Amino acid sequence: MGIFVKEFLKTKGFKMTPQRELIFRSFFEMGEHVSVDELYDKVRQEDSSVGYATVWRNLKLICKVGLAEEVNIGDGITRYDRVTRVPHGHLFCTSCKTVTEITVEQLVGLLSQTAKTRGFVPESFKIEVQGVCKECRGAAGEKDKSGASAGG
Amino acid sequence: MGIFVKEFLKTKGFKMTPQRELIFRSFFEMGEHVSVDELYDKVRQEDSSVGYATVWRNLKLICKVGLAEEVNIGDGITRYDRVTRVPHGHLFCTSCKTVTEITVEQLVGLLSQTAKTRGFVPESFKIEVQGVCKECRGAAGEKDKSGASAGG
DNA sequence: ATGGATGCAAAGCCTTTGCAAGCTT
DNA sequence: AAGCTTGCAAAGGCTTTGCATCCAT
């Protein structure tokens, strides 16, 4: 990013500041499912004077202008994913809690049709699969915490 | 529900109480995306002595035994859906905020395959489509709040 | 000079938990 | 009797907001 995002923001009526640039850059350098705290930590590594609220507000701004969107991986913390061009889904391992991405282009095509038959114009997709990953199956999954199963 | 759930819980080591029965029954009488507050309100209509924490804990219990699962429709409130036998997805209208269900059996089949090729054993699916519904398209979507687009 | 942006700190809100008393088994 | 449940109230924890000050335009 850099000049492009700056110009982009300007057209939207937002100003560019050193903090904002740092926050935006940091966010796009990170992976998926970024939380406010994680981004805050990363930002503070470069400039420890940046406030939490500033990070939070800029993360919201990034979403507002359509460069990212909120995601929920079920831990009660709001996370953010930059909007990718390639539709993809997530595999949530119920054992080790890892999140893996998968491409689902074919699915999205079908899903679009399904939605359109309802008069619904799709904008973005969120596809999640809960289950047990390869590694945890190998480990026989002894990470279960309670007596009752939580599966669906 | 009734005797079945009661026996089911007993086998899991949980006791049945009047409050619990009322809460369970109320939950299953409600639709999808039930929040703690909503369930609490409904329960209090029949027995205003039931505490909030009790409703909350029982909602968690319903999930724990696999009869429901948490869902997030993006308003910061945890909601609960009973686990349905028929796989389905949700259409989220970004304009009027309504949530509509769609069946996606075909998609789930494909999704299962996709996951399995990664050595991942699927347990449950969550499929969401963000977009604009028929009604809002008709209304030309004048409900937009900010200058910036929030689309993905 | 003007209005958005920032930082700090405090509010907000929903989610969880501690405890003593009450019930189901 | 034993232990899970309940209710109330308070604590937690993440998310938002108020405000005075600062900075980009």
Side-chain angles (χ1 to χ4, degrees):
Chain A
M1 71 148 254
I3 198 68
F4 306 112
V5 170
K6 182 170 177 176
E7 293 304 317
F8 177 63
L9 285 179
K10 200 181 291 183
T11 66
K12 298 273 188 179
F14 300 107
K15 293 174 178 176
M16 181 50 71
T17 66
Q19 295 96 326
R20 174 160 292 165
E21 178 163 355
L22 171 56
I23 292 168
F24 272 57
R25 182 159 50 71
S26 297
F27 176 72
F28 289 107
E29 282 174 11
M30 298 179 78
E32 302 270 323
H33 325 306
V34 177
S35 69
V36 180
D37 281 13
E38 287 165 359
L39 181 54
Y40 177 67
D41 287 345
K42 183 170 173 64
V43 164
R44 301 270 293 202
Q45 285 173 21
E46 268 192 59
D47 181 351
S48 61
S49 70
V50 178
Y52 188 91
T54 301
V55 173
W56 180 84
R57 281 187 281 233
N58 273 290
L59 211 28
K60 287 287 181 184
L61 177 62
I62 293 175
C63 290
K64 195 171 186 176
V65 300
L67 294 174
E69 60 185 15
E70 298 190 352
V71 292
N72 253 289
I73 67 174
D75 60 357
I77 296 175
T78 305
R79 290 163 189 283
Y80 302 82
D81 272 11
R82 71 196 113 120
V83 172
T84 54
R85 328 80 225 153
V86 184
H88 66 280
H90 294 133
L91 301 178
F92 289 75
C93 179
T94 55
S95 178
C96 64
K97 311 298 178 192
T98 55
V99 182
T100 311
E101 290 186 16
I102 53 170
T103 58
V104 286
E105 299 168 68
Q106 192 179 176
L107 288 171
V108 168
L110 262 180
L111 205 43
S112 294
Q113 286 178 31
T114 307
K116 281 175 183 167
T117 62
R118 309 283 297 253
F120 193 93
V121 178
E123 288 171 352
S124 66
F125 303 88
K126 192 172 296 182
I127 295 175
E128 304 175 1
V129 183
Q130 312 266 339
V132 183
C133 71
K134 208 171 182 174
E135 283 73 36
C136 288
R137 276 201 304 144
E142 43 258 301
K143 289 196 178 181
D144 207 10
K145 36 294 161 70
S146 73
S149 133
Chain B
M1 70 149 255
I3 198 67
F4 305 113
V5 170
K6 183 170 178 176
E7 293 305 314
F8 178 63
L9 285 177
K10 201 182 287 182
T11 67
K12 297 273 188 179
F14 300 107
K15 293 174 179 174
M16 182 50 72
T17 66
Q19 295 94 328
R20 176 160 292 164
E21 178 164 353
L22 171 56
I23 293 168
F24 272 56
R25 181 159 50 74
S26 298
F27 176 70
F28 289 108
E29 283 174 9
M30 297 180 77
E32 303 269 322
H33 327 307
V34 177
S35 69
V36 182
D37 282 13
E38 287 165 357
L39 181 53
Y40 176 67
D41 286 344
K42 182 170 174 64
V43 165
R44 300 272 293 201
Q45 285 173 21
E46 266 191 60
D47 180 351
S48 62
S49 70
V50 178
Y52 187 91
T54 301
V55 173
W56 180 83
R57 281 187 282 232
N58 274 291
L59 212 28
K60 287 287 182 185
L61 177 62
I62 293 175
C63 290
K64 196 171 187 176
V65 299
L67 295 176
E69 60 185 16
E70 298 189 352
V71 294
N72 253 289
I73 67 173
D75 59 357
I77 296 176
T78 305
R79 288 162 190 284
Y80 301 81
D81 272 9
R82 71 196 113 122
V83 172
T84 53
R85 327 78 226 161
V86 184
H88 65 279
H90 294 133
L91 302 180
F92 290 74
C93 179
T94 55
S95 178
C96 63
K97 311 299 180 193
T98 55
V99 182
T100 310
E101 290 186 17
I102 52 171
T103 58
V104 287
E105 298 168 68
Q106 191 178 181
L107 290 170
V108 168
L110 262 179
L111 203 44
S112 294
Q113 287 177 29
T114 307
K116 281 175 182 166
T117 61
R118 310 282 297 252
F120 193 92
V121 178
E123 290 171 351
S124 66
F125 304 88
K126 194 173 294 181
I127 296 176
E128 303 174 1
V129 184
Q130 313 267 341
V132 182
C133 71
K134 209 171 182 176
E135 281 74 36
C136 289
R137 275 201 306 142
E142 41 257 306
K143 289 196 178 180
D144 207 12
K145 6 25 170 351
S146 72
S149 137

